[in-house]
Structure formats: C-alpha cells, structure tokens
Amino acid sequence: MWNHNAHFHRYLLRQLPEQVHRILDVGCGLGVFARKLAERAEFVDAIDVDSVVLTEASSRNIAPNIHSQQAGFLETDFPKASYDAIAFIASLHHMDLEMALEKAKVLLRPSGKLLVLGLYREETPIDYLYSAISVPLNLIYLNGHRTSTPSPTTPISTLSPRLSLEQIEAVAKTLIPGFRLQRHLLWRYSLIWQKH
C-alpha cells in the first residue's frame, strides 16, 4: 500500500542498525511500518489511540514479535530507557511536541534513536514551493501504485499540523540538540536524533 508515509519507510529504516532489541512505533495505524520494524527488532511495541484501526491492523498478518496496544503516547507508563528506537510516523503533530520529545528522551536507552516523519504547517515561500512540486509528483506516484495493496477499509483519523517547520526546529533545539531535520517533498519532514 503506497501513501505519503510509506514512501519514506526505507529512508527511516536506513537510520537504524541492522538488528535492535526493542522499538516503539507511536501511532502505528494499520501496522505497515511496524511489520517492517519487526524484521529488524526482536520486539516491536505498536501503539495507537484508535481501537478500530488496531483491529484492522491485527487482521493484516501482524508478525508474532509485534505487541499492539490501544494507548496514547503521553499516557503510557513504559519503563524508562526501555527502547532502542522510537518512531513517530505522521503522529507527532497529534500531541504536544515538547511533552512528546521529553517523554521520548526518557524512554530511549543510551544511543537509542528517535525517528520522526512528520507534517508541518506551511507558511514560508520555500514551504509553498515544495508543495507545488509535490502536487504533480503525488499524481505520478498514485498512478504508478494504482494496482498495489488495497486501501484500508477503516478510515484513518487525520489532523492538520499546527506548527511550522521553523517552530518544530526551535522546540527541538532546546530539547534534543544534535538532531538532524530535513524537509522532504510530499508534505513531510524527517527528524532524526540519537541519544547520548
């Protein structure tokens, strides 16, 4: 199943070591990325607030090393320093950025990696330029993947991003210095950070 998020899965996976012990997938949705993580990790904790979406995910042959749970990230009580990596794919803008980054720092082990593929609010000329380039590119990709995996039967909840890329960067600078932020086409950005 191709979509704007799945387009960047390989990029995110390249940021991880070949093998890791435990990974948290925040806002896992239908579990597409969780299944890919399960090939690299011994254990994958996949959480989402939407129980209906999780039910459909469980019917899509979820790997045996994936543990799915209905939960909001900020409300979880996972042990400190329990993850080698935490991934947010189009989910970070659904929560308070500062609180989420602070919690991710606590949950990551030393040398653990934070992987974010996110959405941002457009407000600068460069934002709108990337958006304009993305429109025809999006049509090309959609046409090329028309015969791929069927679309989900369960609607996925969406939320427009509130923060601009500049605001996201400002928050990250205070909480996780040393991150790498990159703007992408298809209305996405990535933020990669390794805990010391």
Side-chain angles (χ1 to χ4, degrees):
M1 177 177 68
W2 184 88
N3 58 42
H4 298 148
N5 299 323
H7 183 78
F8 295 99
H9 283 178
R10 279 188 293 178
Y11 169 78
L12 294 173
L13 289 170
R14 286 198 300 269
Q15 313 306 315
L16 293 171
E18 278 306 309
Q19 288 293 321
V20 293
H21 179 62
R22 187 177 291 272
I23 294 179
L24 175 62
D25 183 6
V26 180
C28 63
L30 295 170
V32 177
F33 192 58
R35 287 195 294 276
K36 294 175 183 178
L37 291 173
E39 297 173 6
R40 305 277 286 275
E42 291 179 58
F43 303 100
V44 177
D45 290 326
I47 64 172
D48 201 290
V49 295
D50 191 328
S51 61
V52 177
V53 168
L54 281 175
T55 299
E56 182 167 348
S58 66
S59 70
R60 290 177 173 240
N61 301 316
I62 294 297
N65 57 333
I66 297 176
H67 174 254
S68 298
Q69 177 183 343
Q70 182 186 1
F73 176 66
L74 297 178
E75 291 74 47
T76 58
D77 58 354
F78 296 123
K80 294 180 180 179
S82 52
Y83 291 103
D84 300 295
I86 299 175
F88 292 84
I89 297 188
S91 58
L92 191 56
H93 69 285
H94 286 258
M95 58 195 84
D96 182 274
L97 179 61
E98 291 184 31
M99 292 175 68
L101 292 181
E102 285 283 13
K103 182 153 190 171
K105 281 170 58 176
V106 170
L107 294 180
L108 281 170
R109 294 177 176 141
S111 299
K113 276 202 163 177
L114 174 65
L115 309 177
V116 176
L117 181 72
L119 287 74
Y120 60 92
R121 179 171 53 82
E122 297 174 336
E123 68 173 22
T124 69
I126 191 76
D127 294 340
Y128 292 113
L129 175 62
Y130 267 71
S131 185
I133 297 170
S134 294
V135 171
L137 188 63
N138 181 53
L139 293 173
I140 291 168
Y141 279 124
L142 285 173
N143 190 50
H145 292 274
R146 203 183 311 181
T147 58
S148 63
T149 308
S151 298
T153 56
T154 304
I156 307 291
S157 63
T158 59
L159 178 72
S160 297
R162 297 181 300 272
L163 300 180
S164 67
L165 202 56
E166 185 177 80
Q167 290 171 315
I168 293 165
E169 185 175 21
V171 172
K173 278 181 179 176
T174 64
L175 298 176
I176 51 169
F179 64 90
R180 186 172 79 249
L181 182 71
Q182 184 176 345
R183 183 198 309 269
H184 298 280
L185 293 170
L186 300 176
W187 305 280
R188 297 294 184 272
Y189 74 90
S190 62
L191 186 152
I192 312 296
W193 179 72
Q194 185 162 20
K195 183 175 180 177
H196 298 296

